[in-house]
Amino acid sequence: MKILGLDSSGLVASVAIVCDDNLLGEYTVNYKKTHSQTLLPMLNEVAGMIELDLNTIDAIAIAGGPGSFTGLRIGSATAKGLGLALNKPIVSVPTVDALAYNLAGHKDMVCPLMDARRNQTYTGLYTFNGNEMQVVREQCAVGIDEIVADINGKKVPVVFLGDGVPVFYEYIKEHCKVPYSYAPAHLNKQRAGAVATLGMVYFSEGRYETAEEHKPEYLRLSQAERERNEMKKDPCKEKEVKP
């Protein structure tokens, strides 16, 4: 089985090809460029390096959300376009699940933290039995205080990873009451290799969709949508329009 993995859900852009138990190629960049500029060129580079005919892949695994609204839309459009062109199914892998899967086999409970702004985080809780992942708490958008309180209640060691770690570092230091650690640099951000590998598991379980059916999972409204709803509730908040 051969799976193409794509992840543009956060600051990182990543492309990978996994064939059975082998990671054939992975291209990951964490730099100040828009994913619309990088994702397809990265795919072309990886495909060229490993002499890959994209028609031979079985499915496209995409980090389906939550994450950056723009990043998710770029990733979704790329996956849908490829799926339609190649007539391949889409495996929508929850972003937080894939991030946790970076630490497959870890002895401690795993807590991914993605910065969702306004002291919120996209997060979840996971444990591993070997490489088999158990979801302790499904991915969600909550305050950092809520997930840390949940962790304290579990009373087991935890390892944190994700771009939310530096954002919430001081809060964790002050409020986390269980033994905790942080993932190393090569494992602490989104990686398409994890998306593809977990996507292979989901694909074998029949958890896939057509390119036409696929859409991102945002978990919460965008800032513009939230502000519009607030305006509807309280018209007095509407900004004065200058002539």
Side-chain angles (χ1 to χ4, degrees):
M1 189 184 299
K2 193 179 294 180
I3 303 290
L4 165 64
L6 303 171
D7 195 328
S8 60
S9 59
L11 298 175
V12 170
S14 188
V15 174
I17 301 291
V18 171
C19 183
D20 297 329
D21 293 328
N22 295 312
L23 176 62
L24 299 182
E26 184 176 44
Y27 193 155
T28 300
V29 174
N30 182 15
Y31 196 65
K32 302 173 184 178
K33 289 188 177 181
T34 62
H35 298 326
S36 59
Q37 293 176 303
T38 58
L39 210 57
L40 282 175
M42 289 163 61
L43 173 57
N44 288 335
E45 184 74 15
V46 171
M49 290 293 289
I50 64 174
E51 300 178 345
L52 173 70
D53 178 357
L54 286 172
N55 288 291
T56 65
I57 65 173
D58 294 287
I60 301 162
I62 177 71
S68 157
F69 283 73
T70 301
L72 289 176
R73 291 186 182 110
I74 292 169
S76 176
T78 302
K80 287 170 74 73
L82 289 169
L84 289 168
L86 300 170
N87 193 27
K88 302 295 180 180
I90 305 293
V91 184
S92 184
V93 180
T95 302
V96 181
D97 292 19
L99 186 53
Y101 206 72
N102 281 0
L103 300 180
H106 203 286
K107 60 182 177 62
D108 295 339
M109 185 168 65
V110 176
C111 180
L113 295 173
M114 296 174 64
D115 182 19
R117 311 295 182 186
R118 297 186 176 185
N119 227 31
Q120 295 264 310
T121 177
Y122 298 124
T123 186
L125 295 173
Y126 306 83
T127 58
F128 287 93
N129 180 12
N131 289 333
E132 183 179 347
M133 185 169 71
Q134 282 94 38
V135 179
V136 177
R137 178 170 182 167
E138 291 186 353
Q139 65 174 22
C140 53
V142 298
I144 185 61
D145 56 337
E146 181 176 331
I147 193 65
V148 170
D150 194 354
I151 290 167
N152 289 338
K154 298 286 190 292
K155 298 181 179 180
V156 296
V158 63
V159 55
F160 294 102
L161 73 161
D163 61 28
V165 166
V167 178
F168 302 118
Y169 180 86
E170 291 299 329
Y171 187 93
I172 293 169
K173 183 179 178 180
E174 184 175 348
H175 295 91
C176 191
K177 305 304 181 185
V178 301
Y180 64 89
S181 60
Y182 298 105
H186 66 294
L187 296 173
N188 67 5
K189 300 293 192 303
Q190 287 94 329
R191 290 184 60 179
V195 174
T197 305
L198 191 54
M200 186 175 295
V201 175
Y202 291 166
F203 183 71
S204 65
E205 295 173 348
R207 298 168 59 180
Y208 55 85
E209 58 196 352
T210 66
E212 291 89 345
E213 293 170 330
H214 173 68
K215 59 182 180 180
E217 182 179 0
Y218 297 114
L219 282 191
R220 67 175 191 173
L221 298 175
S222 69
Q223 182 176 345
E225 290 170 316
R226 292 196 301 271
E227 290 177 352
R228 184 173 65 244
N229 289 341
E230 289 174 4
M231 293 289 189
K232 291 179 180 178
K233 292 178 183 178
D234 187 358
C236 294
K237 290 184 178 180
E238 188 171 359
K239 296 180 180 179
E240 181 182 352
V241 178
K242 295 182 180 181

